[in-house]
């Protein structure tokens, strides 16, 4: 198995945390919290995909 790509692992955990936050916000009936977590999820996943593309182009993947 290859080495762990720590930045990508961080983005994966951050995205999972945002998804968990969406579930908690829905459970608490917080519309603002739900939208905040959705927006955070979009940004985190976007940065993660961007980082992965740069790593692929640099030959690190």
């Amino acid at each position: 198995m290859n080495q762990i790509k720590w930045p990508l692992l961080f983005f994966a955990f951050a995205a999972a945390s945002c998804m968990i936050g969406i579930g908690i916000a829905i459970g608490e009936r917080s519309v603002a919290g739900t939208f905040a977590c959705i927006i955070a999820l979009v940004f985190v996943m976007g940065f993660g995909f961007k980082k992965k593309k740069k790593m692929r182009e640099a030959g690190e993947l």
Side-chain angles (χ1 to χ4, degrees):
M1 186 170 170
N2 295 336
Q3 292 182 354
I4 295 174
K5 307 299 184 211
W6 292 106
L8 298 180
L9 183 64
F10 168 75
F11 284 120
F13 277 124
S17 298
C18 290
M19 291 178 203
I20 292 168
I22 292 169
I24 292 171
I26 289 172
E28 294 290 327
R29 295 183 180 164
S30 172
V31 176
T34 303
F35 284 124
C37 288
I38 289 171
I39 291 170
L41 177 64
V42 169
F43 280 115
V44 167
M45 288 192 69
F47 284 127
F49 284 128
K50 190 174 179 181
K51 178 71 172 172
K52 185 173 181 179
K53 181 181 177 185
K54 285 184 181 183
M55 289 176 75
R56 189 180 320 120
E57 289 174 352
E60 297 175 8
L61 287 181

